[in-house]
Amino acid sequence: MQLALVVNPRSGAGRSAEQVAELLAGPGHDVRTFPIDRAEEAAASGPDRLVLAGGDGSVGTAFAACARHGVPLAVLPAGTANDFARALGIPPGIEAAVPVATDPDPGRRTVWGGSIDGKPFVNVASIGLGVYAAEQAAPLKRVLGPVAYGIGAAIATVRGRAARARVIVDGDEVFDGDVWQVLVAASGSFGGVVQLPVSDPETPELEAFVLPAGPRLSLVRRAWGMRHGGNRGGVQVFQGHRIVVDLDPDRQWNVDGDVFDLGDVTVAPLGPVDVLVPRDGDPEAAR
């Protein structure tokens, strides 16, 4: 079995390519290693599957390469929150996920991600409080792990500011006004604990969650509504294949936990990709 291993050593687990390749080594396994900036080359090299060891941002890069070349993706979670792995039921941690990556007959889920002006993501892209929360969490992740996201969110709730946004879904304007946050979801998993229930990674539709600006004390109620689906607590939810978000100038985006200067964007589906998951009823693969 030909394995193209792509490693981001800067992810939370901090493993080198050699260390991860040794975990994958076994009879009948031919492992070739590539750095994260050569994910496209890895997918184009003709492997039976691409194995990615990294966090959610790295998953997006590998996912896009697999989508372009029709290669199955195995994920060895090595980031802080590993939201994509959690959403798909992939075992947490590199060692626990190795049996899935090397299983000759694993389970598979056909998954869609998103592309925000050509930048891939597999969980959530957001503006507003999500950006501020990511910036506050960044220096804490090495020490506190996923708890850092909760602290960042709490600080954002107190100090974050509203943004002006216009949202267009499949050609129809659905919102124009001030917002605390706009999220566009693929898997809908983020922050180490949150799973947006109306988001389905196995369909090409994307979901836009709009939290209109209002009293700061209402943010907890609106966040609860967003997490539990539907238009609850003032949260507005829209679904479509092409989502345009026009913003005030100089607004940043949080894309799977990393912050980028993108401004006004168009978000579209990316995929599909066969992602390897534990076989049903296989306790060893699901450890």
Side-chain angles (χ1 to χ4, degrees):
M1 183 163 52
Q2 304 290 320
L3 305 179
L5 171 63
V6 176
V7 178
N8 184 357
R10 292 177 295 179
S11 295
R15 301 293 184 86
S16 69
E18 292 75 16
Q19 290 173 317
V20 180
E22 186 175 344
L23 292 173
L24 294 171
H29 297 169
D30 180 13
V31 183
R32 293 185 61 195
T33 61
F34 301 82
I36 186 62
D37 60 0
R38 291 171 57 196
E40 190 75 23
E41 179 184 344
S45 67
D48 293 301
R49 60 192 60 169
L50 187 152
V51 182
L52 181 281
D56 288 314
S58 301
V59 173
T61 299
F63 187 96
C66 288
R68 284 188 286 269
H69 295 278
V71 177
L73 173 65
V75 176
L76 304 180
T80 303
N82 300 311
D83 289 309
F84 182 73
R86 176 169 56 85
L88 269 68
I90 297 169
I94 290 180
E95 286 86 352
V98 163
V100 179
T102 57
D103 189 339
D105 186 26
R108 295 174 185 248
R109 292 183 65 180
T110 301
V111 173
W112 291 80
S115 173
I116 178 168
D117 278 4
K119 184 177 293 297
F121 69 97
V122 291
N123 297 321
V124 170
S126 66
I127 58 101
L129 298 185
V131 173
Y132 194 83
E135 292 174 335
Q136 299 303 308
L140 305 174
K141 290 194 294 184
R142 287 282 182 183
V143 177
L144 299 179
V147 175
Y149 292 107
I151 295 175
I155 296 173
T157 299
V158 175
R159 299 181 182 174
R161 60 191 178 95
R164 181 78 179 182
R166 178 170 174 257
V167 182
I168 302 168
V169 178
D170 290 342
D172 295 326
E173 181 183 292
V174 297
F175 184 88
D176 186 3
D178 292 335
V179 298
W180 285 121
Q181 193 170 23
V182 176
L183 301 93
V184 181
S187 77
S189 180
F190 67 98
V193 295
V194 180
Q195 178 62 55
L196 300 173
V198 299
S199 298
D200 184 354
E202 294 184 278
T203 64
E205 289 82 14
L206 299 164
E207 288 75 38
F209 294 80
V210 180
L211 282 71
R216 198 173 292 271
L217 290 176
S218 71
L219 278 172
V220 173
R221 175 172 54 85
R222 293 185 175 191
W224 181 265
M226 180 181 65
R227 289 181 60 175
H228 289 77
N231 297 343
R232 302 182 183 180
V235 178
Q236 300 180 32
V237 184
F238 310 95
Q239 187 176 61
H241 291 85
R242 180 182 174 88
I243 298 172
V244 177
V245 183
D246 293 336
L247 300 169
D248 278 344
D250 303 321
R251 287 293 184 178
Q252 296 175 307
W253 281 82
N254 175 348
V255 182
D256 279 350
D258 295 320
V259 177
F260 299 96
D261 290 308
L262 297 177
D264 299 343
V265 302
T266 298
V267 190
L270 174 66
V273 171
D274 283 346
V275 178
L276 308 188
V277 297
R279 284 178 285 168
D280 290 341
D282 184 347
E284 180 67 20
R287 279 189 308 130

